[in-house]
């Protein structure tokens, strides 16, 4: 299987090359030139397997240069004792129609681990296959969870360095403490004055800086990305949609072949896009419901076909979804239109004017498979309380947005198809908001509230979060967006 850029360069590259590069040279994103087909009997064969084996079967056809045995070994290493649930990605069913796919049992307590425990292994193996001798410096812009998951995945991986930029005022206390206390000799963490879009735009600018690339190459380094623009981030995420479907079949929520909807709390559109790709491969998924917080640019886009980022950026209690420029939408638009000219045109328009309109035909196709909804912080808080008091299931603020939007979708559309809410973070990452939602006192820094949330709910905090309190920060720098380039130069040294 080969990969090419959404913006139409004629060049076709291998999976290893796409993973090494991250972003295509023309600024586009790599997409596979076909989708491996899974017939119903192939999916039936996944049902009795464990998560590792399911993931290996789903991923292997995308990685021709890797043998099936090699992919199995990578999956076994990525999804093991580093997760605190033996099922890796368990589905918790709350009624005969609804389940929560818990993707936060990895080392950093957010769903980013599903991809970022895998990406460093894929990348290291890819570098070996291509006999690349330079070291790779990973740059990450994070809205909170990617940064920590990438640090944890790449810490002390030979031949790599990793630098993470986070928006100074845009992450939770626990998220910041997780990052600035990261151990490892090859890691760097830096705050940026501004919001996530400022950090992400800054990183994209550094990637397209030819002079900097040359300078780093002279010192033996090249830059790559661990954001979900990298194909190696997206691919591992396809697997858990298959796995959740298998679990729904196992418990009898659907019979093999029947449709299952997915409601996904969305920011950069990576998670939900991976689900849509699973559907293209033959998974009997029904509709994908795209859930947003008050930064509801995607809700408007799916409902109207107009993507308009010219609006106020809101800080919410679900900070990992505080995003106005959803990078991965570009991949979906490519598949919906098959036209790299259109995609390049829209992306140019977004960069230059802040808006684009995909027009009637494309929006009809989009609405054929996606629905969208949003809710504000108060509604998400009500949902945390409702799901806790109704089902004894404790969810975080991001998951709550999706859960609420699913309820609203069902009420308005009358669509009673069984559905999975994709649960993306441990509630313990957002203790203050979760405690407040339950009507409890939340007036202390987030990491001091872990014990209070444990006492109130009788659940326990993930061990890596519980050990955060009292740890000394290693990284305190904060720079303006214009100074990010300099920070990278200094870091690579
Ligand atoms: C990153 C993140 C999201 C958004 O996922 P995308 O793939 O960017 O759409 C949602 N919830 C949590 C907890 C996250 O960390």
């Amino acid at each position: 299987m080969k990969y090419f850029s959404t913006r139409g360069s004629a060049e076709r590259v291998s999976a290893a090359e796409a993973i090494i590069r991250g972003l295509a040279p023309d600024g586009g994103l790599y997409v596979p030139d076909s989708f491996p087909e899974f017939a119903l009997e192939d999916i039936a064969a996944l049902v009795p397997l464990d998560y590792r084996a399911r993931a290996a079967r789903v991923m292997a056809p995308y990685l021709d240069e890797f043998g099936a045995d090699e992919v199995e070994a990578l999956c076994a290493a990525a999804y093991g004792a580093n997760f605190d649930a033996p099922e890796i990605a368990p589905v918790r069913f709350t009624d005969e129609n609804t389940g929560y796919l818990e993707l936060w049992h990895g080392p950093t307590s957010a769903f980013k681990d599903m991809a970022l425990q895998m990406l460093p292994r894929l990348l290291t193996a890819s570098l070996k296959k291509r006999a690349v001798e330079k070291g790779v410096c990973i740059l990450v812009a994070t809205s909170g969870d990617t940064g920590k998951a990438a640090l944890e995945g790449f810490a002390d991986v030979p031949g790599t360095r990793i630098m993470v930029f986070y928006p100074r005022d845009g992450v939770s206390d626990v998220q910041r403490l997780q990052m600035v206390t990261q151990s490892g000799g090859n890691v760097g963490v830096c705050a940026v004055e501004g919001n996530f879009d400022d950090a992400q735009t800054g990183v994209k600018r550094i990637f397209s800086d030819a002079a900097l690339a040359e300078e780093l190459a002279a010192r033996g380094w090249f830059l790559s990305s661990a954001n979900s623009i990298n194909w190696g981030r997206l691919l591992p995420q396809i697997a858990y949609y298959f796995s959740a479907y298998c679990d729904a079949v196992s418990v009898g929520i659907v019979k093999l072949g029947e449709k299952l909807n997915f409601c996904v709390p969305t920011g950069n559109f990576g998670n939900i896009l991976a689900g849509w790709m699973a559907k293209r491969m033959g998974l009997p998924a029904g509709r994908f419901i795209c859930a947003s917080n008050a930064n509801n640019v995607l809700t408007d886009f799916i409902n109207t076909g107009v993507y308009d980022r010219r609006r106020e950026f809101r800080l919410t209690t679900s900070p990992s979804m505080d995003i106005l420029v959803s990078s991965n939408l570009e991949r979906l638009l490519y598949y919906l239109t098959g036209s790299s000219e259109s995609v390049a045109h829209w992306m140019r328009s977004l960069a230059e004017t802040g808006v684009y309109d995909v027009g009637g035909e494309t929006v009809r196709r989009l609405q054929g498979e996606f629905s969208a909804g949003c809710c504000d912080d108060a509604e998400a808080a009500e949902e945390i309380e409702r799901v806790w008091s109704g089902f004894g299931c404790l969810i975080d603020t991001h998951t709550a947005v999706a859960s609420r939007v699913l309820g609203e979708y069902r009420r308005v559309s009358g669509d009673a198809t069984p559905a999975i809410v994709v649960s993306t973070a441990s509630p313990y990452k957002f203790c203050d908001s979760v405690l407040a939602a339950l009507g409890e006192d939340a007036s202390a820094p987030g990491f001091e509230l872990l014990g209070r949330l444990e006492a109130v709910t009788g659940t326990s905090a993930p061990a890596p979060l519980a050990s955060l309190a009292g740890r000394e920060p290693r990284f305190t720098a904060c720079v303006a967006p214009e100074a990010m380039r300099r920070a990278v130069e200094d870091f690579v040294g």
Side-chain angles (χ1 to χ4, degrees), residues 110-112 145 265-271 320-321 398 424-425:
F111 93 95
K112 305 297 196 291
D145 291 327
T266 298
N268 238 340
F269 210 77
N271 197 353
S320 300
M321 296 154 69
H398 303 74
T424 49

Side-chain angles (χ1 to χ4, degrees), residues 1-3 13-20 60-68 70-71 125-126 129-130:
M1 181 170 307
K2 294 288 189 213
Y3 296 80
V13 303
S14 68
E17 197 64 38
I19 291 167
I20 290 169
Y62 286 100
L63 299 166
D64 318 333
E65 298 150 288
F66 297 64
E70 189 179 4
V71 177
S126 298
K129 284 185 203 306
R130 314 301 296 174

Side-chain angles (χ1 to χ4, degrees), residues 104 109-112 142-146 175 196 228 233-234 237 240 264-274 290-291 298 318-323 326-328 396-399 422-426 429-430:
W104 39 265
S109 310
F111 93 95
K112 305 297 196 291
T142 184
S143 56
D145 291 327
T146 298
Q175 287 177 315
F196 171 68
S228 54
R233 269 285 300 276
L234 222 45
Q237 299 184 178
Y240 52 71
V264 187
T266 298
N268 238 340
F269 210 77
N271 197 353
I272 196 168
L273 181 71
C290 174
L298 286 168
S318 42
S320 300
M321 296 154 69
D322 289 346
I323 293 177
S326 292
S327 305
N328 270 295
D396 90 294
T397 46
H398 303 74
T399 308
V422 177
S423 178
T424 49
S426 160
K429 273 194 119 159
F430 306 95

Side-chain angles (χ1 to χ4, degrees), residues 216-291:
L216 297 181
R219 297 191 234 156
W221 292 92
F222 71 97
L223 297 176
S224 191
S225 168
N227 280 104
S228 54
I229 54 177
N230 192 315
W231 174 246
R233 269 285 300 276
L234 222 45
L235 176 58
Q237 299 184 178
I238 299 175
Y240 52 71
Y241 286 91
F242 278 90
S243 182
Y245 189 88
C246 290
D247 288 353
V249 169
S250 288
V251 302
I253 288 241
V254 289
K255 291 199 196 61
L256 188 69
E258 285 177 357
K259 290 216 181 316
L260 184 63
N261 287 348
F262 289 92
C263 185
V264 187
T266 298
N268 238 340
F269 210 77
N271 197 353
I272 196 168
L273 181 71
W276 179 83
M277 288 180 161
K279 184 178 181 184
R280 284 286 298 258
M281 294 166 68
L283 189 73
R287 295 187 69 77
F288 288 93
I289 300 142
C290 174

Side-chain angles (χ1 to χ4, degrees), residues 42 128 221 290 302 391 400 446:
D42 299 321
K128 249 193 220 119
W221 292 92
C290 174
I302 291 170
F391 308 103

Side-chain angles (χ1 to χ4, degrees), residues 12-44:
R12 295 280 195 275
V13 303
S14 68
E17 197 64 38
I19 291 167
I20 290 169
R21 288 189 188 173
L23 200 64
D26 61 6
L29 308 184
Y30 283 114
V31 285
D33 62 7
S34 61
F35 287 101
E37 294 273 335
F38 277 64
L40 281 186
E41 65 256 32
D42 299 321
I43 297 169

Side-chain angles (χ1 to χ4, degrees), residues 425-446:
S426 160
Y428 282 91
K429 273 194 119 159
F430 306 95
C431 287
D432 42 358
S433 303
V434 172
L435 277 167
L438 299 179
E440 301 290 333
D441 176 22
S443 54

